[in-house]
Amino acid sequence: MKAIQITKPGEIKIIEKEMPVAKQGEALLKVLYCGICGADVASYTGNQPFTTYPRIPGHEFSAQIIEIPENDKGLKAGDIVTCNPYFNCGECYACKRGIVNACHDNQTMGVQRDGSFQEYITMPVERIIDGKGLSAKELALIEPFSISCHALSRAEVNEGDNLLIMGAGPIGLFALIKAKSMGARVLIADMLSSRLDLAKEFGADCAVNVKNKDLHTACEEFTNGNGFDVCVEACGAPETFLNCIDESTHGANIILIGNGKRETTFVHSIILKKELNIFGSRNAFTKDFEELIDLVADGNADIIKMVSGVYDTPNAKDAFEALANNDGTLAKLLIKFGE
């Protein structure tokens, strides 16, 4: 079978490898579509500290079941599914407390272990998630959607809450979709008009281009000077984290999804003064995947709008190059392996 392999930073090859053989408790899956995650792009550019080479990337995917043992999930050959790609050890203190998404020895497909960018893979049955009739393209978007869903589950979000999202990339946009389904009023901020146009399509109550309008003024107008009940940081930048602190109301929840690479400096007494709750968020639970599949299946989220392009397998390098040099106009790119 064919697989896409990052052999070293900046180099991608289509390789031939042996078909995988399912072990006890595993299913054989034919991969249909894979999304390219920011972590995959970081592996390609050499900026992913957890990646070793050569590496087959990918953890956002849909697949068709080819072979599967009897199971209590009702899954059978021919079903179109997605999977939870975060492998946990089951032995560390986090795992023993049920925090398997933050396992001390977490191995995410495509990063610490080979991923889904290959024609066939095997997966433990318990990691396979019923697609409930969603299209293969939609199912390839559920994993990044689950990242945002899990983040919003970290802190209380109530109907009518004023919610700020800093960053309108794919994760910020998925957070927007989820927040609107929870009844929140959402202001989303970014520097790129194309991203904010998409945010409006997804129901943003206010989309602010911080290059054209002062963020604080916009936030004051949106909340009548009260500040935000919930702030979501989806950029990973010190400046946007500080924006969340500044624009939050007293007793607010701040949720960090963006993976920052720079230090943030601030006087921490503001957190005490406002009695802020600050939550980190990592990966997702299987229940987050299942919740979102139901949300999309019920017609409450047209996530296909997130797809900026689909590339055939031989053109995978072009897709990675496009995202490595993304000017902000691209959201999600998919690689097509089969139908």
Side-chain angles (χ1 to χ4, degrees):
M1 68 170 186
K2 288 181 171 58
I4 295 170
Q5 185 183 77
I6 303 174
T7 56
K8 62 182 181 180
E11 184 174 286
I12 284 180
K13 290 183 178 179
I14 308 299
I15 64 168
E16 294 283 341
K17 61 176 295 193
E18 293 293 321
M19 282 274 295
V21 177
K23 301 174 184 175
Q24 186 173 359
E26 293 183 339
L28 177 65
L29 307 179
K30 177 184 178 183
V31 176
L32 301 177
Y33 287 91
C34 290
I36 302 177
C37 174
D40 298 322
V41 177
S43 295
Y44 174 65
T45 58
N47 294 311
Q48 171 54 264
F50 304 117
T51 297
T52 55
Y53 303 91
R55 176 64 66 216
I56 295 173
H59 54 261
E60 309 173 0
F61 65 96
S62 59
Q64 182 177 39
I65 297 175
I66 302 301
E67 299 172 359
I68 191 168
E70 273 193 44
N71 60 89
D72 57 9
K73 291 186 168 189
L75 296 169
K76 61 188 184 302
D79 288 350
I80 308 300
V81 299
T82 188
C83 301
N84 182 327
Y86 323 115
F87 284 75
N88 61 291
C89 71
E91 299 296 328
C92 70
Y93 189 47
C95 285
K96 289 178 178 177
R97 290 183 296 144
I99 313 173
V100 296
N101 60 307
C103 168
H104 295 188
D105 189 32
N106 171 76
Q107 293 194 10
T108 297
M109 292 174 62
V111 183
Q112 292 94 348
R113 60 168 61 199
D114 279 344
S116 58
F117 278 52
Q118 44 193 323
E119 291 182 300
Y120 294 88
I121 60 172
T122 57
M123 286 291 289
V125 173
E126 72 266 14
R127 292 189 166 275
I128 302 174
I129 303 165
D130 186 358
K132 295 187 177 180
L134 296 191
S135 71
K137 287 181 182 178
E138 288 172 320
L139 287 171
L141 298 170
I142 293 298
E143 189 278 338
F145 199 174
S146 75
I147 298 294
S148 301
C149 177
H150 176 71
L152 288 178
S153 75
R154 295 282 290 127
E156 188 175 1
V157 179
N158 299 304
E159 186 171 356
D161 277 354
N162 290 319
L163 189 146
L164 169 67
I165 299 174
M166 293 302 302
I171 297 301
L173 291 172
F174 279 128
L176 162 66
I177 296 169
K178 179 58 180 176
K180 290 303 299 179
S181 77
M182 301 168 81
R185 296 179 66 245
V186 180
L187 183 152
I188 189 166
D190 202 284
M191 300 176 65
L192 298 169
S193 297
S194 57
R195 288 181 172 182
L196 294 170
D197 289 341
L198 194 53
K200 293 172 187 175
E201 291 187 45
F202 284 128
D205 297 282
C206 183
V208 178
N209 188 324
V210 295
K211 290 198 299 186
N212 302 329
K213 184 167 185 176
D214 178 67
L215 176 65
H216 180 67
T217 300
C219 292
E220 288 276 295
E221 293 171 354
F222 188 80
T223 67
N224 292 320
N226 293 321
F228 287 89
D229 304 290
V230 181
C231 297
V232 177
E233 199 293 311
C235 295
E239 298 83 1
T240 46
F241 176 35
L242 296 178
N243 288 147
C244 288
I245 293 175
D246 291 340
E247 304 305 336
S248 61
T249 192
H250 289 234
N253 295 319
I254 297 176
I255 309 167
L256 306 178
I257 319 177
N259 194 1
K261 296 183 176 69
R262 292 184 286 140
E263 291 185 358
T264 304
T265 302
F266 61 95
V267 179
H268 73 264
S269 60
I270 187 64
I271 296 175
L272 282 65
K273 177 183 177 181
K274 287 188 174 183
E275 198 172 68
L276 298 176
N277 306 302
I278 300 178
F279 298 85
S281 184
R282 184 182 186 189
N283 296 339
F285 293 120
T286 294
K287 66 181 180 181
D288 298 311
F289 286 71
E290 294 169 340
E291 178 183 330
L292 295 175
I293 287 171
D294 288 337
L295 181 71
V296 177
D298 290 341
N300 294 316
D302 184 11
I303 60 174
I304 287 297
K305 291 178 182 177
M306 198 74 74
V307 178
S308 299
V310 179
Y311 288 71
D312 291 328
T313 305
N315 300 321
K317 185 177 175 67
D318 294 337
F320 275 82
E321 277 292 318
L323 288 174
N325 297 286
N326 188 9
D327 61 1
T329 58
L330 299 176
K332 294 303 297 182
L333 295 184
L334 303 180
I335 304 293
K336 178 183 175 182
F337 282 84
E339 286 280 20

